[in-house]
Amino acid sequence: MDETFHLDTLAVRAGQERSQFGEHAEALYLTSSFVFESAAQAAARFSGAEGGNVYSRFTNPTVTMLQERLAALEGAAACVATASGMAAILATVMALCQSGDHIVAARGIFGASQQLFGAIMPRFGVETSFVAGNDPAAFKAALKPNTRLVFIETPSNPLTEVYDIAALAAVAHGAGALLVVDNCFCSPALQRPLEFGADLVVHSATKYLDGQGRVLGGAVCGATAPVEEVFKFLRTAGPTLSPFNAWVILKGLETLKIRMQAQSASALELARRLEAHPAVARVFYPGLPSHPQHALALRQQATGGAIVAFAVKGGRAEAWRVVDHCKLLSITANLGDTKTTITHPASTTHGRISAEARAEAGITEGLLRVAVGLEAVDDIEADLRRGLDA
Ligand SMILES: *Cc1c(COP(=O)(O)O)cnc(C)c1O
């Protein structure tokens, strides 16, 4: 598709192939396998001499449409879809690392990613060093001659720390490693890490790409060669995306930008109001001038995003009081939905790590994380104020 089209246009149109019926919406090819005209064609398709679909663990036209659309949005040469966000991260490591290799990852990454790198991959001889600080020099110090990947999320969860993608890309490339960015919190509507020098973007499509909390999915975007390696792993090992989920996510992408803009605008407004509330000790939101990496966020991101973290004065009892007074907000650790969610990280997503590790990561007992959806900001604020005013 014409690459000069704006992101809004690509999100609605890129990648669509029409069948012989000329359907207007993207077609859902709910089929596990594909038939051939002849024995010779079957042989040619299997050998790769002829392009085309064989089996939906390899390729499927609906999944291909999603991959092309997401590649267009990320400005990537290639994209491969996966069964979930974790499948995207697993496939990236399995495709690009081997026994004896080393990864450098930010300490605050998604809990399952920490488990994958810290507890599972070492059984296969791939070790990870977790970097505590948000400083390119700290990442550089953790590099080893066998480092293959540097892995970050920006903004981070739940404190919305913003990492400098260009600086970390330079650090990774200096050691011959690739920079992988989990772009879950911003989505390509707000941030395109490849433009800042990242090599690969991984997604949990479960979050903002679907955007309405319906299906699991994931993707890896980047240059053709590494994405091809990830694809080869997936077609053999199997954690590929269901065509049904691909179809749902394709339709989700059509509203990605307007959702992200609306949810970000509400998040900024909510962050401002929370910052002014006497029961709130501190607000963490990249769109606020008080955020430590506000200037960097303005360079990397179109908005501050839709996640607001804040610490109430007091501890767990005061934070839980806010959660338990919510009648509208959903009490769940999920995010990226049109419905606003609230979570208390210290007792849920980060509940299983030691109190010392939590303190080191800045996850205090008073901290709450709100993933702002599409409800009116006045209603979201009123729901939070019930507990805050109490
Ligand atoms: C949810 C999430 C994942 C994992 O995605 P799944 O689709 O649940 O497997 C990875 N990274 C981040 C930042 C997430 O929020």
Side-chain angles (χ1 to χ4, degrees):
M1 184 158 191
D2 188 339
E3 286 177 5
T4 63
F5 280 128
H6 293 85
L7 183 129
D8 319 53
T9 309
L10 294 170
V12 177
R13 296 280 184 178
Q16 186 174 0
E17 292 271 3
R18 291 194 172 88
S19 77
Q20 57 174 314
F21 303 108
E23 67 282 352
H24 190 208
E26 294 75 0
L28 169 52
Y29 292 94
L30 212 48
T31 179
S32 50
S33 67
F34 298 83
V35 294
F36 312 108
E37 303 286 339
S38 64
Q41 189 186 43
R45 288 268 181 93
F46 268 85
S47 74
E50 178 184 308
N53 299 292
V54 172
Y55 188 56
S56 286
R57 172 154 40 78
F58 309 165
T59 59
N60 171 284
T62 308
V63 177
T64 302
M65 285 190 246
L66 173 66
Q67 291 172 168
E68 290 182 7
R69 186 166 296 177
L70 197 51
L73 297 184
E74 285 288 1
C79 168
V80 63
T82 58
S84 66
M86 286 318 302
I89 297 169
L90 171 69
T92 300
V93 176
M94 293 300 275
L96 301 176
C97 295
Q98 60 184 19
S99 178
D101 285 349
H102 176 248
I103 297 171
V104 173
R107 175 156 292 173
I109 56 174
F110 186 64
S113 306
Q114 291 180 39
Q115 284 291 313
L116 176 68
F117 292 145
I120 296 177
M121 293 320 298
R123 284 169 32 210
F124 302 94
V126 177
E127 299 289 338
T128 295
S129 302
F130 290 98
V131 176
N134 179 7
D135 175 9
F139 281 83
K140 194 168 183 185
L143 292 168
K144 296 181 183 177
N146 56 343
T147 304
R148 293 284 166 269
L149 304 175
V150 175
F151 189 98
I152 61 163
E153 282 168 26
T154 181
S156 73
N157 181 26
L159 290 172
T160 72
E161 267 195 299
V162 179
Y163 287 69
D164 189 331
I165 298 170
L168 289 169
V171 164
H173 297 161
L178 301 180
L179 178 66
V180 183
V181 178
D182 184 332
N183 200 23
C184 177
F185 269 40
C186 273
S187 90
L190 303 184
Q191 169 174 277
R192 281 177 293 284
L194 302 177
E195 288 175 0
F196 294 93
D199 299 283
L200 290 170
V201 166
V202 293
H203 270 293
S204 169
T206 316
K207 312 293 167 54
Y208 291 106
L209 303 188
D210 168 20
Q212 289 155 81
R214 298 167 294 191
V215 297
L216 275 88
V220 183
C221 305
T224 308
V227 172
E228 180 67 20
E229 290 306 310
V230 176
F231 168 69
K232 282 193 226 156
F233 170 79
L234 286 166
R235 63 172 279 168
T236 302
T240 42
L241 186 65
S242 144
F244 179 79
N245 290 11
W247 182 82
V248 171
I249 297 164
L250 267 167
K251 303 312 278 179
L253 286 181
E254 293 180 3
T255 56
L256 176 67
K257 188 167 169 189
I258 54 169
R259 279 187 283 109
M260 294 310 290
Q261 283 176 333
Q263 291 175 220
S264 302
S266 293
L268 176 60
E269 182 56 29
L270 182 70
R272 286 190 180 127
R273 294 183 192 179
L274 287 171
E275 206 165 41
H277 195 286
V280 173
R282 188 166 166 199
V283 178
F284 303 85
Y285 182 68
L288 289 178
S290 60
H291 189 280
Q293 296 95 32
H294 179 58
L296 175 61
L298 290 179
R299 283 206 303 279
Q300 279 183 183
Q301 306 173 201
T303 73
I307 312 277
V308 180
F310 63 100
V312 298
K313 288 181 183 159
R316 179 171 294 205
E318 289 72 16
W320 279 21
R321 185 162 65 215
V322 174
V323 174
D324 289 336
H325 276 80
C326 286
K327 293 181 179 162
L328 176 71
L329 273 51
S330 312
I331 306 172
T332 170
N334 198 23
L335 60 98
D337 201 304
T338 52
K339 295 179 169 66
T340 300
T341 65
I342 185 165
T343 188
H344 178 248
S347 59
T348 58
T349 52
H350 295 70
R352 283 197 290 177
I353 62 175
S354 70
E356 301 80 64
R358 265 204 306 277
E360 200 190 329
I363 317 248
T364 58
E365 289 291 332
L367 188 73
L368 293 168
R369 189 198 71 192
V370 174
V372 177
L374 283 179
E375 304 94 335
V377 67
D378 288 347
D379 294 333
I380 299 169
E381 185 201 10
D383 213 40
L384 291 169
R385 285 191 76 125
R386 245 193 308 277
L388 285 172
D389 293 346

